[in-house]
Amino acid sequence: MRLSLLLLFVLLCSCSGWNKFAKQENKPFTESDYLDGFNNEVSKYGLKNGETILDLGSLTGKFSSIIFRYYPQSKIVLEDVYNMKPHLYNYSFVQNDTIYKYKTNRTFKKGRPDKIPSRPNTFNTIICRKTYHEFNNNNKLKMLSEMHRVLKDNGVLLVVDVIPNYEGQRDAGCKNLYLKWDNVQKEVVKNGFELLSVDSTSYNLLDSTYHNYFILKFKKLKSEERNWGITTL
């Protein structure tokens, strides 16, 4: 109970940074605004240069192209259930000297809703950004198992998703419900992961809307440490 209250307090406090961007809602966004928003979010990920990263549900890989600007020695695998042609954000701060390196250090793989097409123990980090709520219950269990399989021991899973503004709010695209962060963290912990931190951000880099986002950071538990009773809420 105390842990839940503490995590809620941290989440609410970190959301206070939202006001900076909310005040700009009626103003045109500049490249500087996008870069500020990106820094605010990704600085909380704790990524390291040289890691092998899976962008799960990557679409075209725009978000990863900007991550690569800061971590140019990393290898990024884009995975999505759709055949998307990867491309970059069309901003000068992305396209300076990173285009060639990004193209040679990223790979796109078409996956399935219940399967990640990678070998076991491949990735240091999985970024599941605005994707977790798109899994239905059956596929969610399989994908949690798949994420555990392809992460290295002590690898990190980042679940970043929209904090709903009201009970029953749905994604306008996939029509699925947005999930409460505390339910997500309980679900992931029950399926082979340890919660490391809870944070939030208030800026949607991809479509410039003004949502609050939770950032849940988990560590993969080794086989002998995990609870093999696969469970969903």
Side-chain angles (χ1 to χ4, degrees):
M1 180 65 179
R2 290 183 178 178
L3 177 60
S4 297
L5 290 174
L6 177 60
L7 294 176
L8 179 60
F9 175 75
V10 171
L11 187 67
L12 291 174
C13 288
S14 58
C15 279
S16 62
W18 133 264
N19 292 328
K20 173 181 177 182
F21 295 102
K23 292 177 181 178
Q24 301 177 8
E25 187 166 1
N26 295 320
K27 298 180 181 180
F29 273 65
T30 66
E31 289 194 5
S32 178
D33 292 329
Y34 281 101
L35 191 55
D36 285 347
F38 173 77
N39 285 334
N40 180 56
E41 178 176 337
V42 176
S43 64
K44 300 177 180 182
Y45 285 7
L47 301 175
K48 297 178 182 177
N49 207 10
E51 290 185 324
T52 302
I53 299 169
L54 174 63
D55 183 356
L56 185 63
S58 62
L59 291 176
T60 62
K62 286 183 176 180
F63 188 71
S64 287
S65 72
I66 301 181
I67 287 180
F68 193 77
R69 178 181 186 269
Y70 291 90
Y71 306 97
Q73 303 304 317
S74 297
K75 293 185 178 180
I76 301 178
V77 174
L78 314 178
E79 192 270 353
D80 205 280
V81 296
Y82 302 105
N83 276 319
M84 307 296 289
K85 184 178 180 180
H87 62 273
L88 299 147
Y89 264 116
N90 189 27
Y91 298 116
S92 61
F93 64 76
V94 177
Q95 298 205 5
N96 47 25
D97 61 349
T98 64
I99 296 177
Y100 176 75
K101 289 181 180 179
Y102 180 63
K103 287 182 178 179
T104 58
N105 282 275
R106 63 105 170 95
T107 304
F108 179 81
K109 294 186 177 183
K110 185 178 185 298
R112 303 198 319 244
D114 60 353
K115 184 73 174 179
I116 298 174
S118 297
R119 294 179 179 276
N121 305 309
T122 297
F123 300 103
N124 301 103
T125 301
I126 295 176
I127 301 173
C128 187
R129 188 180 190 274
K130 287 188 66 180
T131 302
Y132 193 87
H133 73 272
E134 296 181 355
F135 302 141
N136 64 40
N137 281 340
N138 290 332
N139 289 339
K140 188 186 300 180
L141 298 179
K142 294 174 182 177
M143 289 305 292
L144 284 169
S145 179
E146 282 291 281
M147 287 186 274
H148 192 278
R149 179 181 67 83
V150 301
L151 269 175
K152 296 179 179 180
D153 286 344
N154 298 317
V156 169
L157 168 63
L158 291 161
V159 179
V160 184
D161 222 317
V162 174
I163 300 173
N165 294 320
Y166 54 87
E167 190 77 26
Q169 183 180 6
R170 293 181 180 272
D171 185 325
C174 70
K175 309 303 181 184
N176 285 359
L177 288 170
Y178 287 125
L179 305 172
K180 294 181 179 180
W181 71 271
D182 51 341
N183 285 345
V184 173
Q185 67 96 5
K186 291 175 185 175
E187 190 168 73
V188 177
V189 164
K190 287 180 179 178
N191 288 279
F193 295 87
E194 176 186 344
L195 180 66
L196 297 178
S197 65
V198 179
D199 213 323
S200 70
T201 186
S202 307
Y203 186 66
N204 182 352
L205 187 66
L206 295 184
D207 60 22
S208 304
T209 55
Y210 292 83
H211 291 300
N212 288 325
Y213 289 75
F214 60 75
I215 302 172
L216 303 180
K217 187 174 184 178
F218 301 92
K219 180 183 75 171
K220 171 186 173 178
L221 295 178
K222 297 178 182 179
S223 297
E224 62 270 22
E225 298 172 318
R226 70 172 292 185
N227 177 6
W228 289 98
I230 304 297
T231 309
T232 187
L233 295 175

